[in-house]
Amino acid sequence: DGVVVVLLEARMRLGQRPLAKALRRCRPIPLRFPTGTEPGTTAAVTYNRTVAGSAVVQTRQVTVMTNHCGVDVSKAWLDAWIEAAGHRRFANTARGVAELGAHCRAHQVALVVMEASGGIEQAAFLALWQAGQPCAIAHARSVRQFAQAMGYLEKTDRIDTMMIARFAEAKRMVATPPPSADQQELTALATRLRQVTGDLGVQKQRLHSAHDPFAQDSLRQAIAFFTEQASALAARIAALIDRDPLWTTLDHTFRQVK
């Protein structure tokens, strides 16, 4: 419990006692947070005090801060920032993620916030969640705009991680629950289907401009391969959707839109 010494102006009835005597009568008042208060929330704390015979009710707004860890993810490294510890770098490997998790636990980090980095952050994100460390994903452009507003125009690993952590604190970000196994598989299959569909379109365009018979035959084989791949991926996606009642309903609804 915190202790707040309330210094009140002399609210004397008819000016009966001098201010010094009134202040000497004040004692430290224990400040108790309401039960169920979560870190990062604002609590209204109310307490009663009688001074010089008059009952005075005071209300103070108290904010409990949350300890954040900002993480900038690259293919090789995990750069982290905690206000109490500063900048540290870990390898983007299973061992490095475990060390990052231990570092966060040592500093009682409530939330690890990573900047979206084209999907390469997902492995560390899921591994930290599996280790029991809540995580969230921040939009890279929003973090960059926040950094510029704070006067940080240059980009370094130290500055980037610091800005991610402070952005999360300013925005009061909350944990982003990890996707289920089916959601992860659906996302991976949908991404691959888009890639295959794009490659298929490129091969068809090349076939129209090719004149050599051997080159045309090679392109037709590539088109057949990508067509088979697209069909297999679409079938797997359909099977996943059929397994989930909500996805089935959404799929049916989307198909009705014209």
Coordinates of all heavy atoms in Angstrom, one line a residue, residues 44-84:
A44 N -10.0 4.9 -9.2 CA -10.5 6.1 -8.4 C -10.4 5.6 -6.9 O -11.1 4.7 -6.5 CB -11.9 6.5 -8.8
V45 N -9.6 6.3 -6.2 CA -9.4 5.9 -4.8 C -10.0 7.0 -3.9 O -9.6 8.1 -4.0 CB -7.8 5.8 -4.5 CG1 -7.6 5.3 -3.0 CG2 -7.2 4.8 -5.4
T46 N -10.9 6.6 -3.1 CA -11.7 7.5 -2.2 C -11.3 7.3 -0.7 O -11.3 6.1 -0.3 CB -13.2 7.4 -2.4 OG1 -13.4 7.6 -3.8 CG2 -13.9 8.4 -1.6
Y47 N -11.1 8.3 0.0 CA -10.8 8.1 1.5 C -11.5 9.3 2.2 O -11.7 10.4 1.6 CB -9.3 8.0 1.7 CG -8.5 9.1 1.1 CD1 -8.3 10.3 1.7 CD2 -8.0 8.9 -0.2 CE1 -7.5 11.3 1.2 CE2 -7.2 9.9 -0.8 CZ -7.0 11.1 -0.1 OH -6.3 12.1 -0.7
N48 N -11.8 9.1 3.5 CA -12.4 10.1 4.3 C -11.4 10.6 5.3 O -10.5 9.9 5.8 CB -13.6 9.5 5.0 CG -14.7 9.0 4.1 OD1 -14.8 9.6 3.0 ND2 -15.4 8.0 4.4
R49 N -11.6 11.9 5.7 CA -10.7 12.5 6.7 C -11.4 13.6 7.4 O -12.1 14.4 6.7 CB -9.4 13.0 6.0 CG -8.4 13.6 7.0 CD -7.8 12.5 7.9 NE -6.7 13.0 8.7 CZ -6.3 12.4 9.8 NH1 -6.9 11.3 10.2 NH2 -5.3 12.9 10.4
T50 N -11.3 13.7 8.7 CA -11.9 14.7 9.4 C -10.8 15.7 9.9 O -9.9 15.2 10.6 CB -12.7 14.2 10.6 OG1 -13.7 13.3 10.2 CG2 -13.4 15.3 11.4
V51 N -10.9 16.9 9.6 CA -9.9 17.9 9.9 C -10.6 19.1 10.6 O -11.5 19.6 10.0 CB -9.1 18.4 8.7 CG1 -8.1 19.5 9.1 CG2 -8.4 17.2 8.1
A52 N -10.1 19.4 11.8 CA -10.7 20.6 12.6 C -12.2 20.5 12.7 O -12.9 21.5 12.6 CB -10.2 21.9 11.9
G53 N -12.7 19.2 12.8 CA -14.1 19.1 13.1 C -15.0 19.0 11.9 O -16.1 18.8 12.0
S54 N -14.4 19.2 10.6 CA -15.2 19.2 9.4 C -14.8 17.9 8.6 O -13.6 17.6 8.5 CB -14.9 20.4 8.5 OG -15.3 21.6 9.2
A55 N -15.8 17.2 8.2 CA -15.6 16.0 7.4 C -15.3 16.4 6.0 O -16.0 17.1 5.4 CB -16.8 15.1 7.5
V56 N -14.1 15.8 5.5 CA -13.7 16.2 4.1 C -13.5 14.9 3.4 O -12.8 14.0 3.8 CB -12.4 17.0 4.1 CG1 -12.0 17.3 2.7 CG2 -12.5 18.3 4.9
V57 N -14.1 14.7 2.2 CA -13.9 13.5 1.4 C -13.1 13.9 0.2 O -13.4 14.8 -0.6 CB -15.3 13.0 0.9 CG1 -15.1 11.8 0.0 CG2 -16.2 12.6 2.1
Q58 N -12.0 13.2 0.0 CA -11.1 13.4 -1.1 C -11.0 12.2 -2.1 O -11.0 11.1 -1.6 CB -9.7 13.7 -0.6 CG -9.6 14.9 0.3 CD -9.2 16.2 -0.5 OE1 -8.7 16.1 -1.5 NE2 -9.5 17.3 0.1
T59 N -11.0 12.5 -3.4 CA -10.8 11.4 -4.3 C -9.6 11.7 -5.2 O -9.4 12.8 -5.7 CB -12.0 11.3 -5.3 OG1 -13.2 11.0 -4.4 CG2 -11.9 10.2 -6.3
R60 N -8.7 10.7 -5.3 CA -7.5 10.8 -6.1 C -7.5 9.7 -7.2 O -7.8 8.6 -6.9 CB -6.3 10.7 -5.2 CG -5.0 10.7 -5.9 CD -3.8 10.9 -5.0 NE -3.8 12.2 -4.4 CZ -2.9 12.6 -3.5 NH1 -1.9 11.8 -3.2 NH2 -3.0 13.8 -3.0
Q61 N -7.0 10.1 -8.4 CA -6.9 9.2 -9.5 C -5.5 8.6 -9.5 O -4.5 9.4 -9.5 CB -7.2 9.9 -10.8 CG -7.5 8.9 -11.9 CD -8.0 9.7 -13.1 OE1 -7.6 10.8 -13.4 NE2 -9.0 9.1 -13.9
V62 N -5.4 7.3 -9.5 CA -4.1 6.6 -9.4 C -4.0 5.7 -10.7 O -4.9 4.9 -11.0 CB -4.0 5.7 -8.1 CG1 -2.6 5.0 -8.1 CG2 -4.1 6.6 -6.9
T63 N -2.8 5.8 -11.4 CA -2.6 5.0 -12.5 C -1.5 4.0 -12.2 O -0.4 4.3 -11.7 CB -2.1 5.8 -13.7 OG1 -3.2 6.7 -14.0 CG2 -1.8 4.9 -14.9
V64 N -1.7 2.7 -12.4 CA -0.8 1.6 -12.1 C -0.1 1.3 -13.5 O -0.8 0.8 -14.4 CB -1.4 0.3 -11.6 CG1 -0.4 -0.7 -11.2 CG2 -2.2 0.7 -10.3
M65 N 1.2 1.5 -13.6 CA 1.9 1.3 -14.9 C 2.2 -0.1 -15.2 O 2.4 -0.9 -14.2 CB 3.2 2.1 -14.9 CG 3.0 3.6 -14.6 SD 1.8 4.4 -15.7 CE 2.6 4.2 -17.2
T66 N 2.2 -0.5 -16.4 CA 2.6 -1.8 -16.9 C 4.0 -1.8 -17.5 O 4.3 -0.9 -18.2 CB 1.6 -2.3 -18.0 OG1 0.2 -2.2 -17.4 CG2 1.9 -3.7 -18.4
N67 N 4.8 -2.8 -17.2 CA 6.1 -2.9 -17.7 C 6.1 -3.6 -19.1 O 5.6 -4.7 -19.2 CB 7.0 -3.7 -16.7 CG 8.4 -3.6 -17.0 OD1 8.8 -2.6 -17.7 ND2 9.3 -4.4 -16.4
H68 N 6.5 -2.9 -20.1 CA 6.5 -3.4 -21.5 C 7.9 -3.7 -21.9 O 8.9 -3.1 -21.5 CB 5.9 -2.4 -22.4 CG 4.5 -2.1 -22.2 ND1 4.0 -1.2 -21.3 CD2 3.3 -2.7 -22.7 CE1 2.7 -1.1 -21.3 NE2 2.3 -2.0 -22.2
C69 N 8.0 -4.7 -22.9 CA 9.2 -5.0 -23.6 C 9.0 -4.8 -25.1 O 8.2 -5.5 -25.6 CB 9.7 -6.4 -23.2 SG 11.2 -6.9 -24.2
G70 N 9.7 -3.9 -25.7 CA 9.6 -3.7 -27.1 C 10.6 -4.6 -27.8 O 11.8 -4.6 -27.4
V71 N 10.2 -5.3 -28.9 CA 11.1 -6.2 -29.6 C 11.0 -5.9 -31.1 O 9.9 -5.9 -31.7 CB 10.7 -7.7 -29.3 CG1 11.6 -8.6 -30.1 CG2 10.8 -8.0 -27.9
D72 N 12.2 -5.7 -31.7 CA 12.3 -5.6 -33.1 C 12.9 -6.9 -33.7 O 14.0 -7.3 -33.3 CB 13.2 -4.4 -33.4 CG 13.2 -4.0 -34.9 OD1 12.2 -4.3 -35.6 OD2 14.2 -3.5 -35.4
V73 N 12.2 -7.5 -34.6 CA 12.5 -8.8 -35.1 C 13.2 -8.7 -36.5 O 12.6 -8.1 -37.4 CB 11.3 -9.8 -35.1 CG1 11.7 -11.2 -35.5 CG2 10.6 -9.8 -33.8
S74 N 14.3 -9.4 -36.6 CA 14.9 -9.5 -37.9 C 15.2 -11.0 -38.1 O 14.9 -11.8 -37.2 CB 16.2 -8.7 -38.0 OG 17.2 -9.2 -37.1
K75 N 15.7 -11.4 -39.3 CA 16.0 -12.8 -39.6 C 17.0 -13.4 -38.6 O 16.8 -14.6 -38.2 CB 16.4 -13.0 -41.0 CG 15.4 -12.7 -42.0 CD 15.9 -12.9 -43.4 CE 14.9 -12.7 -44.5 NZ 15.4 -12.9 -45.9
A76 N 17.9 -12.6 -38.2 CA 19.0 -13.2 -37.3 C 18.9 -12.8 -35.9 O 19.4 -13.5 -35.0 CB 20.4 -12.7 -37.9
W77 N 18.2 -11.6 -35.5 CA 18.3 -11.1 -34.2 C 16.9 -10.7 -33.7 O 16.0 -10.4 -34.4 CB 19.2 -9.9 -34.1 CG 20.6 -10.1 -34.6 CD1 21.2 -9.8 -35.8 CD2 21.6 -10.9 -33.9 NE1 22.4 -10.2 -35.9 CE2 22.8 -10.9 -34.7 CE3 21.7 -11.5 -32.7 CZ2 23.9 -11.5 -34.3 CZ3 22.8 -12.1 -32.3 CH2 24.0 -12.1 -33.1
L78 N 16.9 -10.7 -32.3 CA 15.7 -10.2 -31.6 C 16.3 -9.1 -30.7 O 16.9 -9.3 -29.7 CB 15.1 -11.2 -30.7 CG 14.5 -12.5 -31.4 CD1 14.1 -13.5 -30.4 CD2 13.3 -12.1 -32.3
D79 N 16.0 -7.8 -31.1 CA 16.5 -6.7 -30.3 C 15.3 -6.3 -29.3 O 14.2 -6.1 -29.8 CB 16.8 -5.5 -31.2 CG 18.1 -5.8 -32.0 OD1 19.2 -5.7 -31.4 OD2 18.0 -6.1 -33.2
A80 N 15.7 -6.2 -28.1 CA 14.7 -5.9 -27.0 C 15.0 -4.7 -26.2 O 16.2 -4.4 -26.0 CB 14.5 -7.2 -26.1
W81 N 13.9 -4.0 -25.7 CA 14.1 -2.9 -24.9 C 13.2 -3.0 -23.7 O 11.9 -3.1 -23.9 CB 13.8 -1.6 -25.6 CG 13.9 -0.4 -24.8 CD1 12.8 0.2 -24.0 CD2 15.0 0.5 -24.5 NE1 13.2 1.3 -23.3 CE2 14.5 1.5 -23.6 CE3 16.3 0.5 -24.9 CZ2 15.4 2.5 -23.2 CZ3 17.1 1.5 -24.5 CH2 16.7 2.5 -23.6
I82 N 13.7 -2.9 -22.5 CA 12.9 -2.7 -21.2 C 13.5 -1.5 -20.6 O 14.7 -1.3 -20.5 CB 13.1 -4.0 -20.3 CG1 12.6 -5.2 -21.1 CG2 12.3 -3.8 -19.0 CD1 12.8 -6.5 -20.3
E83 N 12.6 -0.6 -20.1 CA 13.0 0.6 -19.5 C 14.0 0.5 -18.4 O 15.0 1.2 -18.3 CB 11.8 1.4 -19.0 CG 10.9 2.0 -20.1 CD 11.5 3.1 -20.9 OE1 12.5 3.7 -20.4 OE2 11.1 3.3 -22.0
A84 N 13.8 -0.5 -17.6 CA 14.7 -0.7 -16.4 C 16.1 -1.3 -16.8 O 17.1 -1.2 -16.1 CB 14.1 -1.6 -15.4

